[in-house]
Amino acid sequence: MIDAIRSAAKVLTMHSKQAGISVIIPTLWAPGGSYVLKLIRKLSRHNQIGEIILIDNNPSAAPAIPEDLPKLRYLPQRQNLYVNPSWNLGVTKAQHPLICLCNDDILPTAKLFKLACRTLGRNSKQPIGLIGVDKTCFEKKSKKAKPRICNVKERRYAYGCLMLMRKASFQPIPEWLKIYSGDTWLFREQIKQGRYNLAIAGLFIGQRSGQHSLSSSQPEFSPLKRADDANFAILREHGMHESPPLFNAEVLETLRQIQAELRGLRLLQEQLLSIQQVPPAA
């Protein structure tokens, strides 16, 4: 009897891995600990999701991680890997055939994952690359709209907030693209591999404060943004897959130092503002 139960459990586990999605979420906890945990709990309730890989790039800001989240795999990092390398890491850790690269400031519904799974499942032999989201998903009018999937030839605004694909189709993002252009690189790489990309439209997705890129819009990330933009331009122009000769480890280290200095200046500014707001003693 015990052997039969173990055998059944093994079959269920194998089936779960075959049908499930590995959701990969890099975070700096910018939306707030309670919001990110709300997202994780929401995802945990979706049957299509087999695991949630949370890559914590700022453990000092992390709240207490609840123990009642069996689908959660918590991966704290010693230093900020940035979003693109975090995606690469998450995919290597993923245990399911479908992967989802998800922002930490949105609340996708179960209907979205059902639609994506149905599309990828029914078209298992079709060369589908990415399934991203259309900007209409973040408009309130989508609450009453009929969801649809459309073919897209260019990555549009909000597409990279949530992207699903087969793990076997994933191509690692070049290591010198840290924060920006990773979604565009993945989009174009799928086309180069002979696949076509889709977008889910008209399906409402909740979003914190109605804005994207809470972390990457901070001033200390500006030098990395300029570097990513420059490197992606080189990739686009020359189709390079090796490290660009104009951009090496020394430049990266210099940019990290500038980033740290900008972060320190911002903290100093906040301290000065707080001192100015303290009323004088009576």
Side-chain angles (χ1 to χ4, degrees):
M1 182 66 178
I2 294 176
D3 291 340
I5 294 174
R6 287 176 176 171
S7 178
K10 185 176 180 180
V11 170
L12 286 172
T13 301
M14 290 177 61
H15 177 73
S16 173
K17 288 187 177 182
Q18 290 173 355
I21 301 173
S22 294
V23 180
I24 300 161
I25 307 174
T27 188
L28 289 171
W29 303 100
S34 60
Y35 190 93
V36 176
L37 292 178
K38 179 181 178 181
L39 165 63
I40 294 170
R41 289 195 180 278
K42 184 177 179 68
L43 294 174
S44 296
R45 294 193 292 267
H46 299 339
N47 294 331
Q48 294 79 17
I49 294 175
E51 63 177 350
I52 303 159
I53 302 173
L54 184 67
I55 300 176
D56 186 353
N57 285 317
N58 187 17
S60 62
I65 305 298
E67 297 181 359
D68 60 339
L69 296 169
K71 291 184 180 180
L72 176 63
R73 295 176 63 192
Y74 177 59
L75 303 180
Q77 304 301 308
R78 293 183 178 179
Q79 62 181 12
N80 187 359
L81 298 182
Y82 305 110
V83 63
N84 295 335
S86 295
W87 282 348
N88 287 343
L89 172 63
V91 173
T92 64
K93 300 291 185 180
Q95 298 179 344
H96 296 267
L98 302 180
I99 57 172
C100 172
L101 308 177
C102 182
N103 275 16
D104 64 355
D105 59 348
I106 61 176
L107 295 173
T109 63
K111 186 181 291 186
L112 184 147
F113 294 102
K114 289 178 182 177
L115 185 57
C117 284
R118 187 162 65 243
T119 301
L120 291 170
R122 287 180 178 176
N123 301 281
S124 58
K125 295 183 180 180
Q126 292 295 317
I128 299 174
L130 287 170
I131 300 179
V133 293
D134 185 75
K135 65 179 182 179
T136 57
C137 292
F138 300 99
E139 299 172 355
K140 290 185 178 180
K141 64 182 182 181
S142 290
K143 291 182 178 181
K144 298 180 179 180
K146 183 178 181 180
R148 63 190 186 278
I149 288 188
C150 49
N151 198 330
V152 287
K153 296 183 179 180
E154 288 291 336
R155 186 197 69 78
R156 301 170 183 171
Y157 176 75
Y159 189 91
C161 292
L162 185 146
M163 299 181 291
L164 296 105
M165 67 187 305
R166 299 183 180 103
K167 180 181 177 181
S169 300
F170 181 81
Q171 297 291 325
I173 301 168
E175 63 179 12
W176 59 89
L177 293 178
K178 298 297 183 182
I179 301 177
Y180 298 88
S181 302
D183 50 359
T184 305
W185 190 90
L186 288 172
F187 190 99
R188 296 185 177 182
E189 191 65 19
Q190 292 303 302
I191 294 175
K192 285 179 61 178
Q193 297 295 325
R195 305 184 184 98
Y196 60 90
N197 300 312
L198 305 172
I200 296 174
L203 179 59
F204 184 73
I205 298 175
Q207 179 187 12
R208 184 189 183 279
S209 302
Q211 59 182 347
H212 299 296
S213 302
L214 287 170
S215 302
S216 57
S217 60
Q218 295 175 3
E220 61 262 30
F221 293 112
S222 295
L224 281 176
K225 180 183 187 307
R226 288 194 292 272
D228 285 349
D229 288 344
N231 284 319
F232 189 74
I234 294 173
L235 282 171
R236 185 170 52 191
E237 182 177 354
H238 301 289
M240 296 173 61
H241 287 259
E242 302 297 331
S243 181
L246 301 178
F247 193 70
N248 54 32
E250 293 181 2
V251 178
L252 264 180
E253 182 58 33
T254 301
L255 287 170
R256 290 194 185 100
Q257 292 175 6
I258 295 172
Q259 180 189 19
E261 291 174 4
L262 286 170
R263 188 184 298 114
L265 287 171
R266 194 174 68 164
L267 290 173
L268 179 60
Q269 183 183 35
E270 291 174 354
Q271 291 172 1
L272 290 172
L273 287 173
S274 63
I275 291 172
Q276 291 174 0
Q277 292 171 0
V278 175

